[in-house]
PDB file of all heavy atoms in Angstrom:
ATOM      1  N   VAL A   1       0.845  -1.198   0.000  1.00 93.00           N
ATOM      2  CA  VAL A   1       0.000   0.000   0.000  1.00 93.00           C
ATOM      3  C   VAL A   1       0.880   1.248   0.000  1.00 93.00           C
ATOM      4  O   VAL A   1       1.894   1.307   0.705  1.00 93.00           O
ATOM      5  CB  VAL A   1      -0.926   0.013   1.234  1.00 93.00           C
ATOM      6  CG1 VAL A   1      -1.719   1.314   1.310  1.00 93.00           C
ATOM      7  CG2 VAL A   1      -1.865  -1.182   1.219  1.00 93.00           C
ATOM      8  N   VAL A   2       0.487   2.222  -0.806  1.00 93.00           N
ATOM      9  CA  VAL A   2       1.108   3.550  -0.749  1.00 93.00           C
ATOM     10  C   VAL A   2       0.190   4.447   0.086  1.00 93.00           C
ATOM     11  O   VAL A   2      -1.002   4.581  -0.219  1.00 93.00           O
ATOM     12  CB  VAL A   2       1.300   4.158  -2.150  1.00 93.00           C
ATOM     13  CG1 VAL A   2       1.929   5.542  -2.035  1.00 93.00           C
ATOM     14  CG2 VAL A   2       2.159   3.252  -3.009  1.00 93.00           C
ATOM     15  N   TYR A   3       0.750   5.026   1.128  1.00 91.00           N
ATOM     16  CA  TYR A   3      -0.021   5.881   2.033  1.00 91.00           C
ATOM     17  C   TYR A   3       0.003   7.312   1.478  1.00 91.00           C
ATOM     18  O   TYR A   3       1.015   7.997   1.523  1.00 91.00           O
ATOM     19  CB  TYR A   3       0.603   5.806   3.427  1.00 91.00           C
ATOM     20  CG  TYR A   3       0.055   6.750   4.478  1.00 91.00           C
ATOM     21  CD1 TYR A   3      -1.159   7.423   4.322  1.00 91.00           C
ATOM     22  CD2 TYR A   3       0.750   6.947   5.674  1.00 91.00           C
ATOM     23  CE1 TYR A   3      -1.642   8.264   5.290  1.00 91.00           C
ATOM     24  CE2 TYR A   3       0.278   7.793   6.656  1.00 91.00           C
ATOM     25  CZ  TYR A   3      -0.916   8.453   6.458  1.00 91.00           C
ATOM     26  OH  TYR A   3      -1.403   9.295   7.432  1.00 91.00           O
ATOM     27  N   LEU A   4      -1.149   7.748   0.907  1.00 86.00           N
ATOM     28  CA  LEU A   4      -1.312   9.130   0.428  1.00 86.00           C
ATOM     29  C   LEU A   4      -1.976   9.943   1.528  1.00 86.00           C
ATOM     30  O   LEU A   4      -3.050   9.570   2.018  1.00 86.00           O
ATOM     31  CB  LEU A   4      -2.155   9.180  -0.843  1.00 86.00           C
ATOM     32  CG  LEU A   4      -1.594   8.492  -2.089  1.00 86.00           C
ATOM     33  CD1 LEU A   4      -2.573   8.634  -3.244  1.00 86.00           C
ATOM     34  CD2 LEU A   4      -0.241   9.056  -2.463  1.00 86.00           C
ATOM     35  N   LYS A   5      -1.340  11.022   1.887  1.00 82.00           N
ATOM     36  CA  LYS A   5      -1.835  11.787   3.030  1.00 82.00           C
ATOM     37  C   LYS A   5      -2.427  13.118   2.601  1.00 82.00           C
ATOM     38  O   LYS A   5      -1.834  13.860   1.817  1.00 82.00           O
ATOM     39  CB  LYS A   5      -0.695  12.042   4.025  1.00 82.00           C
ATOM     40  CG  LYS A   5      -1.147  12.728   5.305  1.00 82.00           C
ATOM     41  CD  LYS A   5       0.005  12.875   6.290  1.00 82.00           C
ATOM     42  CE  LYS A   5      -0.479  13.520   7.582  1.00 82.00           C
ATOM     43  NZ  LYS A   5       0.625  13.703   8.549  1.00 82.00           N
ATOM     44  N   ASP A   6      -3.630  13.405   3.114  1.00 76.00           N
ATOM     45  CA  ASP A   6      -4.232  14.736   2.959  1.00 76.00           C
ATOM     46  C   ASP A   6      -3.634  15.644   4.027  1.00 76.00           C
ATOM     47  O   ASP A   6      -3.660  15.313   5.217  1.00 76.00           O
ATOM     48  CB  ASP A   6      -5.753  14.670   3.151  1.00 76.00           C
ATOM     49  CG  ASP A   6      -6.461  14.230   1.884  1.00 76.00           C
ATOM     50  OD1 ASP A   6      -6.170  14.801   0.832  1.00 76.00           O
ATOM     51  OD2 ASP A   6      -7.287  13.312   1.966  1.00 76.00           O
ATOM     52  N   ILE A   7      -3.118  16.775   3.614  1.00 75.00           N
ATOM     53  CA  ILE A   7      -2.487  17.707   4.549  1.00 75.00           C
ATOM     54  C   ILE A   7      -3.513  18.753   4.969  1.00 75.00           C
ATOM     55  O   ILE A   7      -3.996  19.532   4.146  1.00 75.00           O
ATOM     56  CB  ILE A   7      -1.267  18.398   3.916  1.00 75.00           C
ATOM     57  CG1 ILE A   7      -0.319  17.358   3.306  1.00 75.00           C
ATOM     58  CG2 ILE A   7      -0.555  19.259   4.942  1.00 75.00           C
ATOM     59  CD1 ILE A   7       0.237  16.378   4.296  1.00 75.00           C
ATOM     60  N   VAL A   8      -3.858  18.754   6.250  1.00 81.00           N
ATOM     61  CA  VAL A   8      -4.815  19.729   6.779  1.00 81.00           C
ATOM     62  C   VAL A   8      -4.129  21.093   6.893  1.00 81.00           C
ATOM     63  O   VAL A   8      -2.983  21.191   7.326  1.00 81.00           O
ATOM     64  CB  VAL A   8      -5.341  19.285   8.160  1.00 81.00           C
ATOM     65  CG1 VAL A   8      -6.230  20.372   8.783  1.00 81.00           C
ATOM     66  CG2 VAL A   8      -6.118  17.992   8.030  1.00 81.00           C
ATOM     67  N   LYS A   9      -4.812  22.130   6.465  1.00 80.00           N
ATOM     68  CA  LYS A   9      -4.242  23.470   6.491  1.00 80.00           C
ATOM     69  C   LYS A   9      -3.959  23.921   7.920  1.00 80.00           C
ATOM     70  O   LYS A   9      -4.705  23.600   8.848  1.00 80.00           O
ATOM     71  CB  LYS A   9      -5.186  24.457   5.793  1.00 80.00           C
ATOM     72  CG  LYS A   9      -5.326  24.175   4.305  1.00 80.00           C
ATOM     73  CD  LYS A   9      -6.166  25.207   3.601  1.00 80.00           C
ATOM     74  CE  LYS A   9      -6.225  24.920   2.100  1.00 80.00           C
ATOM     75  NZ  LYS A   9      -7.026  25.904   1.374  1.00 80.00           N
ATOM     76  N   ASP A  10      -2.873  24.668   8.057  1.00 79.00           N
ATOM     77  CA  ASP A  10      -2.419  25.106   9.379  1.00 79.00           C
ATOM     78  C   ASP A  10      -3.437  26.027  10.049  1.00 79.00           C
ATOM     79  O   ASP A  10      -4.071  26.860   9.403  1.00 79.00           O
ATOM     80  CB  ASP A  10      -1.082  25.851   9.254  1.00 79.00           C
ATOM     81  CG  ASP A  10       0.023  24.963   8.699  1.00 79.00           C
ATOM     82  OD1 ASP A  10      -0.071  23.744   8.895  1.00 79.00           O
ATOM     83  OD2 ASP A  10       0.961  25.508   8.073  1.00 79.00           O
ATOM     84  N   GLY A  11      -3.552  25.867  11.365  1.00 81.00           N
ATOM     85  CA  GLY A  11      -4.369  26.775  12.170  1.00 81.00           C
ATOM     86  C   GLY A  11      -5.865  26.573  12.087  1.00 81.00           C
ATOM     87  O   GLY A  11      -6.630  27.369  12.643  1.00 81.00           O
ATOM     88  N   LEU A  12      -6.308  25.488  11.407  1.00 83.00           N
ATOM     89  CA  LEU A  12      -7.756  25.307  11.247  1.00 83.00           C
ATOM     90  C   LEU A  12      -8.458  25.025  12.568  1.00 83.00           C
ATOM     91  O   LEU A  12      -9.554  25.538  12.806  1.00 83.00           O
ATOM     92  CB  LEU A  12      -8.038  24.168  10.269  1.00 83.00           C
ATOM     93  CG  LEU A  12      -8.066  24.529   8.784  1.00 83.00           C
ATOM     94  CD1 LEU A  12      -8.480  23.332   7.959  1.00 83.00           C
ATOM     95  CD2 LEU A  12      -9.020  25.664   8.527  1.00 83.00           C
ATOM     96  N   ARG A  13      -7.854  24.200  13.407  1.00 86.00           N
ATOM     97  CA  ARG A  13      -8.525  23.843  14.665  1.00 86.00           C
ATOM     98  C   ARG A  13      -8.826  25.083  15.495  1.00 86.00           C
ATOM     99  O   ARG A  13      -9.931  25.222  16.041  1.00 86.00           O
ATOM    100  CB  ARG A  13      -7.660  22.851  15.453  1.00 86.00           C
ATOM    101  CG  ARG A  13      -8.252  22.474  16.814  1.00 86.00           C
ATOM    102  CD  ARG A  13      -7.447  21.388  17.484  1.00 86.00           C
ATOM    103  NE  ARG A  13      -7.649  20.101  16.847  1.00 86.00           N
ATOM    104  CZ  ARG A  13      -8.667  19.288  17.128  1.00 86.00           C
ATOM    105  NH1 ARG A  13      -9.582  19.660  18.022  1.00 86.00           N
ATOM    106  NH2 ARG A  13      -8.783  18.134  16.534  1.00 86.00           N
ATOM    107  N   GLU A  14      -7.871  25.976  15.602  1.00 86.00           N
ATOM    108  CA  GLU A  14      -8.088  27.195  16.388  1.00 86.00           C
ATOM    109  C   GLU A  14      -9.182  28.058  15.771  1.00 86.00           C
ATOM    110  O   GLU A  14     -10.004  28.649  16.475  1.00 86.00           O
ATOM    111  CB  GLU A  14      -6.784  27.996  16.489  1.00 86.00           C
ATOM    112  CG  GLU A  14      -5.678  27.340  17.308  1.00 86.00           C
ATOM    113  CD  GLU A  14      -4.992  26.206  16.560  1.00 86.00           C
ATOM    114  OE1 GLU A  14      -5.197  26.101  15.317  1.00 86.00           O
ATOM    115  OE2 GLU A  14      -4.263  25.423  17.199  1.00 86.00           O
ATOM    116  N   ARG A  15      -9.200  28.139  14.445  1.00 82.00           N
ATOM    117  CA  ARG A  15     -10.205  28.956  13.764  1.00 82.00           C
ATOM    118  C   ARG A  15     -11.600  28.363  13.929  1.00 82.00           C
ATOM    119  O   ARG A  15     -12.583  29.082  14.110  1.00 82.00           O
ATOM    120  CB  ARG A  15      -9.866  29.090  12.286  1.00 82.00           C
ATOM    121  CG  ARG A  15      -8.501  29.677  12.006  1.00 82.00           C
ATOM    122  CD  ARG A  15      -8.482  31.169  12.203  1.00 82.00           C
ATOM    123  NE  ARG A  15      -8.842  31.878  10.995  1.00 82.00           N
ATOM    124  CZ  ARG A  15      -8.995  33.190  10.915  1.00 82.00           C
ATOM    125  NH1 ARG A  15      -8.838  33.934  11.985  1.00 82.00           N
ATOM    126  NH2 ARG A  15      -9.320  33.758   9.784  1.00 82.00           N
ATOM    127  N   PHE A  16     -11.679  27.035  13.883  1.00 86.00           N
ATOM    128  CA  PHE A  16     -12.980  26.391  14.083  1.00 86.00           C
ATOM    129  C   PHE A  16     -13.455  26.557  15.525  1.00 86.00           C
ATOM    130  O   PHE A  16     -14.663  26.603  15.785  1.00 86.00           O
ATOM    131  CB  PHE A  16     -12.910  24.913  13.706  1.00 86.00           C
ATOM    132  CG  PHE A  16     -12.804  24.676  12.220  1.00 86.00           C
ATOM    133  CD1 PHE A  16     -12.091  23.599  11.716  1.00 86.00           C
ATOM    134  CD2 PHE A  16     -13.407  25.534  11.320  1.00 86.00           C
ATOM    135  CE1 PHE A  16     -11.988  23.387  10.355  1.00 86.00           C
ATOM    136  CE2 PHE A  16     -13.309  25.337   9.958  1.00 86.00           C
ATOM    137  CZ  PHE A  16     -12.599  24.256   9.470  1.00 86.00           C
ATOM    138  N   ASP A  17     -12.524  26.644  16.463  1.00 86.00           N
ATOM    139  CA  ASP A  17     -12.903  26.927  17.850  1.00 86.00           C
ATOM    140  C   ASP A  17     -13.547  28.314  17.941  1.00 86.00           C
ATOM    141  O   ASP A  17     -14.515  28.514  18.687  1.00 86.00           O
ATOM    142  CB  ASP A  17     -11.670  26.864  18.760  1.00 86.00           C
ATOM    143  CG  ASP A  17     -11.190  25.432  18.990  1.00 86.00           C
ATOM    144  OD1 ASP A  17     -11.985  24.498  18.750  1.00 86.00           O
ATOM    145  OD2 ASP A  17     -10.029  25.254  19.398  1.00 86.00           O
ATOM    146  N   GLU A  18     -13.007  29.278  17.162  1.00 81.00           N
ATOM    147  CA  GLU A  18     -13.605  30.617  17.137  1.00 81.00           C
ATOM    148  C   GLU A  18     -15.021  30.575  16.578  1.00 81.00           C
ATOM    149  O   GLU A  18     -15.930  31.230  17.098  1.00 81.00           O
ATOM    150  CB  GLU A  18     -12.748  31.555  16.284  1.00 81.00           C
ATOM    151  CG  GLU A  18     -11.414  31.941  16.902  1.00 81.00           C
ATOM    152  CD  GLU A  18     -10.680  32.953  16.042  1.00 81.00           C
ATOM    153  OE1 GLU A  18     -11.305  33.964  15.671  1.00 81.00           O
ATOM    154  OE2 GLU A  18      -9.503  32.725  15.728  1.00 81.00           O
ATOM    155  N   LEU A  19     -15.215  29.794  15.507  1.00 82.00           N
ATOM    156  CA  LEU A  19     -16.552  29.665  14.927  1.00 82.00           C
ATOM    157  C   LEU A  19     -17.519  29.065  15.931  1.00 82.00           C
ATOM    158  O   LEU A  19     -18.679  29.473  16.025  1.00 82.00           O
ATOM    159  CB  LEU A  19     -16.496  28.795  13.668  1.00 82.00           C
ATOM    160  CG  LEU A  19     -15.886  29.441  12.424  1.00 82.00           C
ATOM    161  CD1 LEU A  19     -15.697  28.412  11.328  1.00 82.00           C
ATOM    162  CD2 LEU A  19     -16.768  30.570  11.920  1.00 82.00           C
ATOM    163  N   ARG A  20     -17.032  28.080  16.684  1.00 86.00           N
ATOM    164  CA  ARG A  20     -17.890  27.442  17.687  1.00 86.00           C
ATOM    165  C   ARG A  20     -18.300  28.461  18.749  1.00 86.00           C
ATOM    166  O   ARG A  20     -19.441  28.443  19.229  1.00 86.00           O
ATOM    167  CB  ARG A  20     -17.128  26.272  18.307  1.00 86.00           C
ATOM    168  CG  ARG A  20     -18.009  25.236  19.000  1.00 86.00           C
ATOM    169  CD  ARG A  20     -17.218  23.989  19.368  1.00 86.00           C
ATOM    170  NE  ARG A  20     -16.786  23.265  18.178  1.00 86.00           N
ATOM    171  CZ  ARG A  20     -15.522  23.170  17.773  1.00 86.00           C
ATOM    172  NH1 ARG A  20     -14.561  23.761  18.461  1.00 86.00           N
ATOM    173  NH2 ARG A  20     -15.223  22.489  16.701  1.00 86.00           N
ATOM    174  N   ALA A  21     -17.367  29.351  19.114  1.00 81.00           N
ATOM    175  CA  ALA A  21     -17.685  30.394  20.096  1.00 81.00           C
ATOM    176  C   ALA A  21     -18.722  31.362  19.558  1.00 81.00           C
ATOM    177  O   ALA A  21     -19.459  31.987  20.322  1.00 81.00           O
ATOM    178  CB  ALA A  21     -16.410  31.142  20.483  1.00 81.00           C
ATOM    179  N   MET A  22     -18.805  31.504  18.232  1.00 79.00           N
ATOM    180  CA  MET A  22     -19.809  32.356  17.606  1.00 79.00           C
ATOM    181  C   MET A  22     -21.154  31.652  17.469  1.00 79.00           C
ATOM    182  O   MET A  22     -22.107  32.233  16.967  1.00 79.00           O
ATOM    183  CB  MET A  22     -19.345  32.782  16.207  1.00 79.00           C
ATOM    184  CG  MET A  22     -18.133  33.685  16.192  1.00 79.00           C
ATOM    185  SD  MET A  22     -17.695  34.101  14.467  1.00 79.00           S
ATOM    186  CE  MET A  22     -16.176  35.006  14.713  1.00 79.00           C
ATOM    187  N   GLY A  23     -21.211  30.379  17.876  1.00 83.00           N
ATOM    188  CA  GLY A  23     -22.453  29.623  17.757  1.00 83.00           C
ATOM    189  C   GLY A  23     -22.648  28.992  16.396  1.00 83.00           C
ATOM    190  O   GLY A  23     -23.776  28.681  16.008  1.00 83.00           O
ATOM    191  N   ILE A  24     -21.542  28.786  15.668  1.00 87.00           N
ATOM    192  CA  ILE A  24     -21.627  28.217  14.323  1.00 87.00           C
ATOM    193  C   ILE A  24     -21.143  26.776  14.335  1.00 87.00           C
ATOM    194  O   ILE A  24     -20.049  26.483  14.832  1.00 87.00           O
ATOM    195  CB  ILE A  24     -20.786  29.042  13.333  1.00 87.00           C
ATOM    196  CG1 ILE A  24     -21.333  30.470  13.252  1.00 87.00           C
ATOM    197  CG2 ILE A  24     -20.774  28.402  11.945  1.00 87.00           C
ATOM    198  CD1 ILE A  24     -20.490  31.400  12.420  1.00 87.00           C
ATOM    199  N   ARG A  25     -21.960  25.890  13.807  1.00 91.00           N
ATOM    200  CA  ARG A  25     -21.627  24.462  13.726  1.00 91.00           C
ATOM    201  C   ARG A  25     -20.938  24.188  12.396  1.00 91.00           C
ATOM    202  O   ARG A  25     -21.404  24.595  11.346  1.00 91.00           O
ATOM    203  CB  ARG A  25     -22.918  23.639  13.840  1.00 91.00           C
ATOM    204  CG  ARG A  25     -22.760  22.140  13.650  1.00 91.00           C
ATOM    205  CD  ARG A  25     -24.078  21.451  13.998  1.00 91.00           C
ATOM    206  NE  ARG A  25     -24.123  20.088  13.510  1.00 91.00           N
ATOM    207  CZ  ARG A  25     -24.684  19.727  12.364  1.00 91.00           C
ATOM    208  NH1 ARG A  25     -25.284  20.657  11.608  1.00 91.00           N
ATOM    209  NH2 ARG A  25     -24.693  18.472  11.979  1.00 91.00           N
ATOM    210  N   THR A  26     -19.793  23.492  12.436  1.00 91.00           N
ATOM    211  CA  THR A  26     -19.026  23.210  11.223  1.00 91.00           C
ATOM    212  C   THR A  26     -19.204  21.751  10.810  1.00 91.00           C
ATOM    213  O   THR A  26     -19.125  20.844  11.641  1.00 91.00           O
ATOM    214  CB  THR A  26     -17.534  23.506  11.439  1.00 91.00           C
ATOM    215  OG1 THR A  26     -17.067  22.809  12.603  1.00 91.00           O
ATOM    216  CG2 THR A  26     -17.306  24.995  11.631  1.00 91.00           C
ATOM    217  N   VAL A  27     -19.431  21.563   9.513  1.00 92.00           N
ATOM    218  CA  VAL A  27     -19.631  20.213   8.965  1.00 92.00           C
ATOM    219  C   VAL A  27     -18.719  20.053   7.746  1.00 92.00           C
ATOM    220  O   VAL A  27     -18.794  20.845   6.804  1.00 92.00           O
ATOM    221  CB  VAL A  27     -21.097  19.980   8.546  1.00 92.00           C
ATOM    222  CG1 VAL A  27     -21.273  18.563   8.002  1.00 92.00           C
ATOM    223  CG2 VAL A  27     -22.034  20.222   9.721  1.00 92.00           C
ATOM    224  N   MET A  28     -17.855  19.038   7.785  1.00 90.00           N
ATOM    225  CA  MET A  28     -16.979  18.746   6.649  1.00 90.00           C
ATOM    226  C   MET A  28     -17.688  17.788   5.693  1.00 90.00           C
ATOM    227  O   MET A  28     -18.294  16.810   6.125  1.00 90.00           O
ATOM    228  CB  MET A  28     -15.675  18.109   7.139  1.00 90.00           C
ATOM    229  CG  MET A  28     -14.678  17.820   6.031  1.00 90.00           C
ATOM    230  SD  MET A  28     -13.240  16.893   6.629  1.00 90.00           S
ATOM    231  CE  MET A  28     -13.951  15.238   6.770  1.00 90.00           C
ATOM    232  N   ILE A  29     -17.601  18.093   4.395  1.00 86.00           N
ATOM    233  CA  ILE A  29     -18.227  17.246   3.378  1.00 86.00           C
ATOM    234  C   ILE A  29     -17.129  16.686   2.485  1.00 86.00           C
ATOM    235  O   ILE A  29     -16.257  17.428   2.012  1.00 86.00           O
ATOM    236  CB  ILE A  29     -19.230  18.045   2.523  1.00 86.00           C
ATOM    237  CG1 ILE A  29     -20.282  18.702   3.424  1.00 86.00           C
ATOM    238  CG2 ILE A  29     -19.892  17.164   1.502  1.00 86.00           C
ATOM    239  CD1 ILE A  29     -21.256  19.572   2.677  1.00 86.00           C
ATOM    240  N   THR A  30     -17.158  15.365   2.252  1.00 81.00           N
ATOM    241  CA  THR A  30     -16.115  14.746   1.444  1.00 81.00           C
ATOM    242  C   THR A  30     -16.645  13.509   0.735  1.00 81.00           C
ATOM    243  O   THR A  30     -17.625  12.893   1.179  1.00 81.00           O
ATOM    244  CB  THR A  30     -14.911  14.347   2.331  1.00 81.00           C
ATOM    245  OG1 THR A  30     -13.936  13.679   1.535  1.00 81.00           O
ATOM    246  CG2 THR A  30     -15.344  13.431   3.459  1.00 81.00           C
ATOM    247  N   GLY A  31     -15.996  13.172  -0.347  1.00 74.00           N
ATOM    248  CA  GLY A  31     -16.319  11.940  -1.060  1.00 74.00           C
ATOM    249  C   GLY A  31     -15.554  10.751  -0.534  1.00 74.00           C
ATOM    250  O   GLY A  31     -15.751   9.619  -0.992  1.00 74.00           O
ATOM    251  N   ASP A  32     -14.657  10.974   0.447  1.00 73.00           N
ATOM    252  CA  ASP A  32     -13.875   9.880   1.019  1.00 73.00           C
ATOM    253  C   ASP A  32     -14.752   8.950   1.847  1.00 73.00           C
ATOM    254  O   ASP A  32     -15.886   9.297   2.230  1.00 73.00           O
ATOM    255  CB  ASP A  32     -12.758  10.441   1.903  1.00 73.00           C
ATOM    256  CG  ASP A  32     -11.673  11.102   1.084  1.00 73.00           C
ATOM    257  OD1 ASP A  32     -11.585  10.802  -0.121  1.00 73.00           O
ATOM    258  OD2 ASP A  32     -10.929  11.922   1.644  1.00 73.00           O
ATOM    259  N   ASN A  33     -14.173   7.788   2.176  1.00 74.00           N
ATOM    260  CA  ASN A  33     -14.911   6.844   3.022  1.00 74.00           C
ATOM    261  C   ASN A  33     -15.012   7.384   4.446  1.00 74.00           C
ATOM    262  O   ASN A  33     -14.325   8.345   4.824  1.00 74.00           O
ATOM    263  CB  ASN A  33     -14.231   5.469   3.008  1.00 74.00           C
ATOM    264  CG  ASN A  33     -12.804   5.519   3.531  1.00 74.00           C
ATOM    265  OD1 ASN A  33     -12.569   5.834   4.683  1.00 74.00           O
ATOM    266  ND2 ASN A  33     -11.840   5.215   2.667  1.00 74.00           N
ATOM    267  N   ALA A  34     -15.867   6.750   5.243  1.00 81.00           N
ATOM    268  CA  ALA A  34     -16.174   7.255   6.585  1.00 81.00           C
ATOM    269  C   ALA A  34     -14.952   7.259   7.494  1.00 81.00           C
ATOM    270  O   ALA A  34     -14.790   8.170   8.319  1.00 81.00           O
ATOM    271  CB  ALA A  34     -17.292   6.421   7.209  1.00 81.00           C
ATOM    272  N   LEU A  35     -14.083   6.254   7.376  1.00 76.00           N
ATOM    273  CA  LEU A  35     -12.904   6.190   8.239  1.00 76.00           C
ATOM    274  C   LEU A  35     -11.963   7.360   7.954  1.00 76.00           C
ATOM    275  O   LEU A  35     -11.487   8.033   8.872  1.00 76.00           O
ATOM    276  CB  LEU A  35     -12.169   4.863   8.026  1.00 76.00           C
ATOM    277  CG  LEU A  35     -12.823   3.621   8.638  1.00 76.00           C
ATOM    278  CD1 LEU A  35     -12.060   2.362   8.233  1.00 76.00           C
ATOM    279  CD2 LEU A  35     -12.858   3.738  10.163  1.00 76.00           C
TER     280      LEU A  35
END
């Protein structure tokens, strides 16, 4: 198996925490499998 990695953009977790503080729910949409 070749392990292909998706690189998550820097600082996203902190920014999503700010959105949560604003009362905004974040939902990621993808064509990938559930795992």
Side-chain angles (χ1 to χ4, degrees):
V1 175
V2 179
Y3 173 16
L4 296 179
K5 185 176 182 181
D6 278 311
I7 309 299
V8 174
K9 294 184 177 180
D10 298 333
L12 274 185
R13 177 174 287 276
E14 292 76 14
R15 303 283 271 175
F16 288 147
D17 287 342
E18 289 184 50
L19 286 171
R20 200 170 293 111
M22 294 180 186
I24 298 174
R25 175 172 165 264
T26 53
V27 181
M28 182 187 77
I29 304 177
T30 177
D32 289 340
N33 60 64
L35 285 174

